[in-house]
Amino acid sequence: MNYIVFDLEWNQSPQGKKTRNDRLTFEIIEIGAVKLNEEKEIIDSFHRLIKPQVYKWIHDSIHEVIHVNYKDLTGGMLFPQAVREFLQWCGEDWCFCTWGNQDVLELQKNMKFYKILDCLPGPVTYYDVQKLYSIRYDDGKNRIALESAVDALKIKKKYDFHRALSDALYTAEVLRCVENIQDHPSLDVYQNPKKKKEEIYLSLPDYDKYVSREFEVREKIMKDREVTSTRCPICHKPARRKIYWFMNNPRVYYSVSRCEKHGLIQGKIRICKTEDEKYFAVKTLRFIDEKEAEELRERRELLRSRKQLKRKVRKEI
């Protein structure tokens, strides 16, 4: 299998929201990528400039960062041709790698805008090198800029940053410093499961992840038994609930359960809304310690107290 490390540069509406195309907030103007073999050796590269069709003027902040103007892009190719050439260049057996999680998402959004999303079936599994770097060299939660990682690893700076191919090359160099990347894949759910038979179950070393089918009504999600079930990420047996699901905010729910053999498990459900006004859930189950469980208990009690206070104020009014 080859690793396709890619980076995108994109433009947005120069006049802000009033002239923004809501179907394409960010228009890709450059694709850069390098191909690594299983030994993480660079064996090929890819680069295309793309002629904008939606935003015909480069946003000032974009121009300041990447130093590209519209004249530079007039000789570029149209996005559908560029992305088809990119996917053909990727080959047959490959996996995407990016710095952060936005490039995979924006690639699909641009493909959907041009009605060629079927060329890249989803949900898309990839490796987030920014996350992998944090797991290897930091606390696993902190996210730093690509240039900061390059500096920390003392990687020689041969190219300017904030251009697609150069950032892909730097990301590849960081990737080469990370071990056991197969244990920490990421999943982009822009192309979410539509039916029950398409639901996703992932069992990883650090956690389990489940992505539900679509629901027409948001309220039905937390009434679904599969969505709210809690199984141990190791033995996969039902765990006994210690703290029932509570709403941290309108999009996120938490719970705490216990597997008698393997310990405490935090459940997290994130409610996602599709562009078609439907809903689905992403559930993550991971092990936590007693301190983390107590923090969740305190958070639940604080939220309960706030709700009770609001009810009391309403009654008094």
Side-chain angles (χ1 to χ4, degrees):
M1 182 188 74
N2 292 323
Y3 300 106
I4 304 299
V5 184
F6 79 93
D7 184 82
L8 306 172
E9 301 298 336
W10 51 71
N11 188 27
Q12 62 191 76
S13 172
Q15 288 81 36
K17 289 184 178 180
K18 61 182 180 181
T19 59
R20 185 180 70 189
N21 187 321
D22 290 334
R23 293 175 51 234
L24 191 67
T25 305
F26 300 110
E27 181 178 19
I28 295 172
I29 56 175
E30 187 178 26
I31 301 174
V34 291
K35 185 182 295 182
L36 282 65
N37 60 22
E38 292 185 349
E39 286 71 43
K40 291 193 278 190
E41 300 168 327
I42 297 177
I43 58 175
D44 202 359
S45 64
F46 179 94
H47 179 252
R48 296 289 186 275
L49 286 175
I50 297 167
K51 184 177 181 179
Q53 299 298 298
V54 178
Y55 305 119
K56 300 297 182 70
W57 192 260
I58 303 299
H59 192 286
D60 288 343
S61 63
I62 303 294
H63 181 262
E64 289 175 5
V65 172
I66 67 175
H67 304 294
V68 170
N69 57 46
Y70 185 74
K71 290 182 179 180
D72 297 323
L73 301 172
T74 54
M77 62 176 55
L78 298 179
F79 177 80
Q81 180 185 351
V83 79
R84 285 192 175 99
E85 290 186 6
F86 172 54
L87 294 174
Q88 184 178 12
W89 172 83
C90 289
E92 295 183 358
D93 188 15
W94 51 269
C95 184
F96 281 152
C97 303
T98 64
W99 188 263
N101 59 14
Q102 195 168 1
D103 290 80
V104 174
L105 174 62
E106 296 305 330
L107 178 64
Q108 294 174 90
K109 286 186 174 182
N110 276 250
M111 292 178 71
K112 182 176 181 179
F113 180 82
Y114 286 102
K115 298 180 171 58
I116 56 172
L117 189 55
D118 57 345
C119 295
L120 182 63
V124 178
T125 300
Y126 68 103
Y127 293 107
D128 179 347
V129 184
Q130 186 183 47
K131 180 179 77 173
L132 296 174
Y133 174 88
S134 182
I135 292 171
R136 173 65 177 82
Y137 296 103
D138 206 334
D139 62 359
K141 298 178 181 179
N142 189 37
R143 300 290 186 265
I144 65 172
L146 175 59
E147 188 170 1
S148 298
V150 168
D151 289 337
L153 295 171
K154 295 181 169 53
I155 295 171
K156 188 175 181 179
K157 295 181 179 179
K158 302 178 182 178
Y159 324 98
D160 292 333
F161 285 86
H162 307 299
R163 289 302 300 268
L165 183 55
S166 60
D167 281 4
L169 284 162
Y170 284 126
T171 301
E173 291 298 327
V174 176
L175 178 66
R176 296 174 69 179
C177 299
V178 178
E179 301 173 351
N180 302 320
I181 68 173
Q182 291 82 3
D183 292 342
H184 304 284
S186 295
L187 182 70
D188 183 275
V189 293
Y190 178 69
Q191 298 183 66
N192 60 287
K194 307 298 181 185
K195 303 175 182 178
K196 189 168 183 63
K197 64 179 181 180
E198 299 173 354
E199 291 183 331
I200 298 170
Y201 299 83
L202 291 177
S203 185
L204 303 170
D206 297 335
Y207 61 91
D208 278 3
K209 178 168 283 190
Y210 159 78
V211 185
S212 79
R213 66 192 182 279
E214 285 185 347
F215 291 82
E216 295 286 342
V217 181
R218 184 187 186 282
E219 288 71 22
K220 289 186 177 181
I221 293 179
M222 295 304 294
K223 295 179 181 179
D224 185 85
R225 293 182 63 181
E226 186 61 35
V227 171
T228 57
S229 65
T230 305
R231 299 183 182 88
C232 173
I234 294 179
C235 65
H236 301 291
K237 294 181 180 179
R240 184 179 179 185
R241 195 93 65 208
K242 305 296 290 184
I243 300 176
Y244 284 86
W245 291 104
F246 67 93
M247 186 172 64
N248 185 61
N249 62 54
R251 294 179 61 241
V252 177
Y253 292 78
Y254 285 103
S255 74
V256 176
S257 303
R258 180 186 294 277
C259 172
E260 296 302 325
K261 186 175 181 180
H262 299 109
L264 291 169
I265 303 161
Q266 173 191 281
K268 179 181 178 181
I269 294 175
R270 180 165 53 93
I271 308 298
C272 304
K273 188 176 182 180
T274 73
E275 294 177 346
D276 299 323
E277 301 292 320
K278 295 181 181 179
Y279 302 88
F280 66 97
V282 178
K283 177 175 66 179
T284 305
L285 301 171
R286 69 174 184 90
F287 290 108
I288 58 173
D289 56 29
E290 293 286 351
K291 181 181 178 181
E292 290 174 297
E294 184 57 33
E295 289 173 352
L296 283 173
R297 190 186 304 278
E298 291 175 357
R299 186 186 304 178
R300 182 192 64 177
E301 294 307 313
L302 177 61
L303 291 169
R304 281 182 174 177
S305 298
R306 288 176 177 174
K307 287 181 180 179
Q308 290 173 355
L309 180 60
K310 286 182 179 179
R311 292 193 194 105
K312 183 178 180 180
V313 171
R314 288 194 192 107
K315 287 182 179 179
E316 290 176 352
I317 293 175

